Amino acid sequence: ALGPPVILAYAFPDIFLRALEEAGLLGGVSLYGILPAISVLSLRRSSLEDADVQATMPGRLGGGDAVLIALVIVSSALVLPEIRNLL
């Protein structure tokens, strides 16, 4: 189990740093920027459609949907150039 990573580390010493760099930006921004905003937007849309069930959201973000959409746009602007560099 330890052999392949050690062989790769000796053959390509910079590969792990590059992988950590790419995973950090792509994973962090999508995990903490894009997915929560899309989830909250979806929850708000579903609670508007279902009038019987009112979803309570403690700690609502001020600014409404505009701030959430701006968060998705800014996060996507950070991620898209990195994805383009990978391709």
Side-chain angles (χ1 to χ4, degrees):
L2 193 58
V6 170
I7 292 170
L8 279 174
Y10 281 122
F12 306 103
D14 295 332
I15 196 167
F16 287 108
L17 293 176
R18 178 154 170 89
L20 285 174
E21 179 181 308
E22 298 298 330
L25 178 68
L26 296 177
V29 171
S30 62
L31 182 63
Y32 298 115
I34 297 173
L35 292 178
I38 291 174
S39 298
V40 170
L41 284 170
S42 174
L43 181 63
R44 286 183 182 178
R45 298 281 191 277
S46 68
S47 68
L48 289 176
E49 291 173 1
D50 190 12
D52 295 336
V53 177
Q54 288 294 327
T56 59
M57 289 187 249
R60 279 183 73 123
L61 178 66
D65 290 348
V67 172
L68 292 170
I69 292 169
L71 179 62
V72 170
I73 291 171
V74 169
S75 298
S76 298
L78 291 171
V79 170
L80 289 176
E82 293 299 322
I83 292 174
R84 187 178 37 215
N85 287 339
L86 289 175
L87 303 176

